[in-house]
């Protein structure tokens, strides 16, 4: 089987099915929050990851909804990208109750950032600086001035890698 066959006949249909379920759940619960982050891939193309968080049957769901190419990273362009994406899914952006992203001006900017455009659409929306980004900034800053902290976090990382790579030995059954 070719990679095109696998992609077009297996991976894409599974992805569409999963996305359909996520959209149905969002429409059922109505209100949701979004987390948005962008990064450049190896070809220096900006990719925008859009995650949603919502409540279904007393269970919090946090899902990657879409990964899209971003040609313009200005606040208004990001807003328009989100608006078009949600509109194509039949989801109202007025039902977004909270948003979280990093501290970049194009994201959190009070006047021209994505946050400000979302607040124009829904004045009651709550913005939160993404805690993963905050934690990363704290660790980076603390390890710059303290060699012991840098060594500690390096050891924690190595330990996590070691533990995730270790395998459980299968139990032998006696015959």
């Amino acid at each position: 089987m070719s990679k095109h066959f696998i992609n077009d006949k297996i991976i894409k249909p599974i992805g569409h099915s999963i996305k359909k379920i996520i959209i149905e759940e969002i429409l059922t619960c109505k209100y949701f929050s979004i987390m948005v982050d962008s990064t450049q891939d190896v070809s220096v193309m900006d990719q925008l990851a859009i995650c949603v968080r919502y409540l279904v049957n007393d269970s919090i769901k946090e899902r990657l909804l879409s990964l899209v190419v971003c040609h313009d990273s200005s606040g208004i362009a990001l807003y328009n990208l989100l608006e078009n994406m949600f509109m194509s899914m039949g989801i109202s952006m007025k039902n977004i109750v909270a948003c979280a992203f990093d501290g970049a001006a194009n994201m959190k900017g009070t006047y021209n950032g994505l946050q400000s455009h979302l607040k124009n659409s829904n004045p009651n929306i709550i913005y939160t600086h993404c805690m993963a980004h905050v934690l990363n900034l704290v660790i980076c800053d603390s390890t710059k001035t303290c060699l012991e902290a840098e060594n500690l976090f390096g050891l924690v990382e190595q330990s996590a890698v070691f533990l995730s790579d270790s395998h459980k030995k299968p139990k032998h059954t006696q015959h």
Side-chain angles (χ1 to χ4, degrees), residues 36-38 48 78 101-102 104-109 113-116:
V36 180
D37 196 13
S38 66
L48 191 69
L78 293 173
F101 12 86
D102 62 21
N106 66 328
M107 295 290 211
K108 79 166 193 172
L114 176 58
Q115 172 198 193
S116 69

Side-chain angles (χ1 to χ4, degrees), residues 139 142-156:
I139 290 173
S142 67
T143 59
K144 284 180 187 174
T145 58
C146 181
L147 182 60
E148 289 83 10
E150 184 176 352
N151 292 338
L152 171 67
F153 289 118
L155 182 60
V156 169

Side-chain angles (χ1 to χ4, degrees), residues 109-126:
T110 309
Y111 302 107
N112 292 315
L114 176 58
Q115 172 198 193
S116 69
H117 297 293
L118 287 168
K119 283 193 179 239
N120 288 338
S121 172
N122 181 356
N124 295 321
I125 200 168
I126 298 168

Side-chain angles (χ1 to χ4, degrees), residues 65-128:
L65 181 63
S66 190
L67 187 63
V68 294
V69 175
C70 178
H71 298 289
D72 181 351
S73 61
S74 67
I76 189 66
L78 293 173
Y79 177 81
N80 291 334
L81 183 68
L82 287 174
E83 185 177 44
N84 292 334
M85 186 196 74
F86 282 119
M87 192 181 308
S88 73
M89 296 176 189
I91 299 172
S92 172
M93 288 189 51
K94 293 196 183 294
N95 294 337
I96 299 173
V97 293
C99 57
F101 12 86
D102 62 21
N106 66 328
M107 295 290 211
K108 79 166 193 172
T110 309
Y111 302 107
N112 292 315
L114 176 58
Q115 172 198 193
S116 69
H117 297 293
L118 287 168
K119 283 193 179 239
N120 288 338
S121 172
N122 181 356
N124 295 321
I125 200 168
I126 298 168
Y127 162 71
T128 305

